Amino acid sequence: MTGKRLADDSMTPGRLFLEGMRRGIPVVITAGPFGALFGALAIDNGMSAFDAVLMSATIFAGASQLVGLELFGQHIPAWIVILSIFAVNFRHILYSASLGQHVANWSWVRQMFGFFFLVDPAYAETERRAEQGEDVQFSWYMGLVFVVYVGWVGMTWLGTIFGNFLEDSHTWGIDFILPIYFMALLMGFRKRPFWYPIVFVSAASSIIAAKTVGSPWHVSIGAAVGILTAAIFAPVSDEETGDKQEGSR
């Protein structure tokens, strides 16, 4: 029998927590400057350091925090702000549906607590662990998201202190870190069936929506088109893959 070895069930919760922390450190190093950028922009938009850190600690959603930061202070109805943030965070509904398959053995209290920390890198790392044939233990997951959460809040605080150095994000190139980071997460799933057509269709529709409908709705539109494409064509791709495997036996 070949394949990845299942995670050792004899590992203590403490060791699993440390293993999760180890997986979270590269995430903090990569996404940390984005948290600092948010802190700097929050100060530039008139928020106090306390308010900026509190926002990161309670909302914990980088992209939607920036959207809210852009809309707060403008004379825009609250329902538009809410819908705009929902459009950006629509992907988290899909994340939770996928993660639910791997944490079905958790209690509902643990699931609700864990879903609060379900940001993009946490989802990517959890999916990668599941694809390797390893269980997604609660202790491992909390070790992962603990590092990411503390890193995000801490970098937000540093951004509020050194905001003057990050005021011109174009000069430092920090404004381009987030797209690169999301691209790296996306490329981690490139070996999945029908990945390239879905990404192409989703990206094309998102670009068209950005030029016609505008931001932030292009995020949800691109995601919806990608989901629809996967729902229509991915089952066919899976059947073809299964037929090829049967024929090779």
Side-chain angles (χ1 to χ4, degrees), residues 10-181:
S10 66
M11 290 184 67
T12 63
R15 289 184 61 186
L16 288 170
F17 187 86
L18 291 176
E19 182 183 346
M21 289 182 64
R22 181 177 62 84
R23 295 298 306 174
I25 292 175
V27 174
V28 174
I29 295 175
T30 306
F34 179 53
L37 175 62
F38 167 75
L41 292 177
I43 295 297
D44 190 54
N45 279 268
M47 295 181 67
S48 66
F50 176 81
D51 289 338
V53 172
L54 181 64
M55 187 176 183
S56 284
T58 55
I59 298 179
F60 188 44
S64 62
Q65 286 181 223
L66 286 177
V67 171
L69 195 63
E70 182 179 347
L71 297 178
F72 293 157
Q74 301 184 25
H75 299 290
I76 298 177
W79 67 270
I80 294 182
V81 177
I82 294 174
L83 285 180
S84 298
I85 294 177
F86 175 80
V88 174
N89 280 347
F90 175 78
R91 66 191 187 279
H92 290 275
I93 298 177
L94 308 177
Y95 290 170
S96 61
S98 179
L99 181 64
Q101 304 175 72
H102 310 310
V103 300
N105 60 325
W106 294 6
S107 67
W108 70 269
V109 175
R110 287 187 170 186
Q111 289 187 27
M112 294 301 101
F113 187 68
F115 284 147
F116 170 78
F117 299 98
L118 186 57
V119 290
D120 302 286
Y123 169 73
E125 289 295 335
T126 302
E127 283 292 315
R128 184 178 294 111
R129 182 174 179 85
E131 285 185 349
Q132 292 175 347
E134 300 183 6
D135 296 328
V136 180
Q137 301 93 340
F138 181 73
S139 298
W140 175 87
Y141 178 83
M142 291 310 301
L144 169 69
V145 298
F146 172 78
V147 173
V148 177
Y149 180 78
V150 172
W152 173 256
V153 176
M155 291 303 295
T156 297
W157 176 69
L158 289 177
T160 63
I161 296 176
F162 300 103
N164 290 332
F165 295 100
L166 302 176
E167 185 174 353
D168 188 356
S169 61
H170 295 282
T171 301
W172 292 81
I174 296 177
D175 58 314
F176 204 64
I177 289 178
L178 186 62
I180 294 176
Y181 179 69

Side-chain angles (χ1 to χ4, degrees), residues 168-206:
D168 188 356
S169 61
H170 295 282
T171 301
W172 292 81
I174 296 177
D175 58 314
F176 204 64
I177 289 178
L178 186 62
I180 294 176
Y181 179 69
F182 274 109
M183 179 63 70
L185 291 180
L186 184 63
M187 292 300 293
F189 299 99
R190 65 187 181 278
K191 294 183 179 180
R192 291 191 173 187
F194 216 66
W195 182 87
Y196 288 98
I198 293 174
V199 169
F200 175 78
V201 171
S202 180
S205 59
S206 181

